[in-house]
Amino acid sequence: LSFTTEIKASHYSGGELYYQYIGGTTGVANEYRIFVQFYRNNGGVGIGTGAQAVCITSSCGANINISLPKILATGANLSGGNGGWVVPGLDECADPSDPSFKDLSIHKYEGNVILPPCANYKIAVIAQCCRDNSTNLAGSPNMYLEVDLNNTNVQNSSPQILAPAGKAFCLTQPGQQPFVFAQGAQEVDGDSIVYSFANPQQGTNCGPGTNIPLAGGYTVNNPIPSSTGIIIDQKLGTFTFSPSQQGSYVMKVEVKEYRFDTISLQWVYIGNTVRETQVPVTSACNPQV
């Protein structure tokens, strides 16, 4: 597989990485489809139409470098040019005329890879440059995303978060109901999944990633100022909070999956999905809310 990428200075506001086992459909053992999505602030420099580089590492041999073609949007789905996709529901809560609002587009990349026999893999991708400025990160380096695949016993598809990552919120008023940010994942293998926050990272193409320090007053588990805290519902995959300070906040969600091993009688970690999103909090709400 060829290894190409297009490097441009762009304002990346978020991204996600997940995979799907397709060998049962194609008849090719150990064939997977890799999905990468980056969210771009349309007010920044554009993202081109070139391919996206992905690096796969394991304990069994040399790194595997692949190139995912870009899936271009057209017509009513087009946002921000160069094949970017509209983000559904982006302005449902926040007022799009507020100065803190960010118009986003999704840039999608997909491709297949046949993995050599091995018990463990790490799949990594970077947004070349650069992150959009945020309130809660101490800097704006590149964005590094990495997921695990453990197919010691059987192939696996990672969880897929169904709702888009892009969403803007507004300051809540006294007595107002908290916002519910839906991040529920579909798990086609019937495994047990657990939601949590993770530290945003920077890194090189094949990793490893390094944690980006958060600005003073912010933590990984409290990335957004909220008068009611942030509550994760492990059954529904929702994040409930009451924004209390205007700004733009990076939050990284990780969905880990576990499969019960009937021999060892233990839950075994077999893979995950990661999603990083930048949540604008505007002072004004959408009047229709």
Side-chain angles (χ1 to χ4, degrees), residues 51-80:
Q52 174 64 48
V54 172
C55 182
I56 302 173
T57 61
S58 72
S59 62
C60 300
N63 295 345
I64 301 171
N65 294 306
I66 66 173
S67 183
L68 306 185
K70 189 172 185 178
I71 310 300
L72 303 177
T74 59
N77 292 318
L78 184 63
S79 173

Side-chain angles (χ1 to χ4, degrees), residues 5 18 29 51 53 63 83-84 90 153 156 173 177 180 212 234 245 248 261 266 269:
T5 187
Y18 58 96
N63 295 345
L90 176 63
N153 298 320
N156 176 61
Q173 305 301 319
Q177 290 291 325
V180 179
I212 301 172
Q234 292 292 344
Q245 182 175 314
S248 187
D261 184 2
Q266 294 181 338
Y269 172 62

Side-chain angles (χ1 to χ4, degrees), residues 20-222:
Q20 179 183 11
Y21 177 66
I22 61 173
T25 301
T26 64
V28 180
N30 233 27
E31 185 170 12
Y32 285 82
R33 189 162 186 85
I34 310 298
F35 299 85
V36 175
Q37 296 185 3
F38 283 120
Y39 287 73
R40 170 192 166 243
N41 181 350
N42 289 336
V45 178
I47 297 177
T49 57
Q52 174 64 48
V54 172
C55 182
I56 302 173
T57 61
S58 72
S59 62
C60 300
N63 295 345
I64 301 171
N65 294 306
I66 66 173
S67 183
L68 306 185
K70 189 172 185 178
I71 310 300
L72 303 177
T74 59
N77 292 318
L78 184 63
S79 173
N82 289 337
W85 293 72
V86 170
V87 182
L90 176 63
D91 59 354
E92 285 180 338
C93 303
D95 184 352
S97 64
D98 190 289
S100 296
F101 182 82
K102 294 183 179 182
D103 181 35
L104 304 179
S105 57
I106 313 173
H107 295 259
K108 303 180 181 182
Y109 308 84
E110 300 176 14
N112 300 346
V113 62
I114 300 172
L115 298 177
C118 191
N120 57 81
Y121 304 92
K122 287 186 179 295
I123 305 170
V125 63
I126 60 172
Q128 295 291 340
C129 179
C130 298
R131 287 174 176 271
D132 204 9
N133 290 330
S134 65
T135 306
N136 62 336
L137 293 187
S140 298
N142 72 347
M143 185 186 305
Y144 176 88
L145 302 174
E146 177 187 277
V147 293
D148 300 319
L149 168 58
N150 173 7
N151 64 349
T152 305
N153 298 320
V154 67
Q155 292 82 6
N156 176 61
S157 294
S158 65
Q160 179 185 351
I161 301 175
L162 298 178
K167 177 74 73 174
F169 295 94
C170 58
L171 296 177
T172 54
Q173 305 301 319
Q176 180 181 334
Q177 290 291 325
F179 285 112
V180 179
F181 193 13
Q183 298 292 283
Q186 173 180 272
E187 213 306 293
V188 297
D189 301 313
D191 299 318
S192 179
I193 57 178
V194 178
Y195 300 86
S196 65
F197 285 117
N199 203 124
Q201 292 190 318
Q202 62 177 322
T204 56
N205 189 64
C206 292
T210 57
N211 291 342
I212 301 172
L214 275 71
Y218 301 98
T219 66
V220 171
N221 293 320
N222 289 283

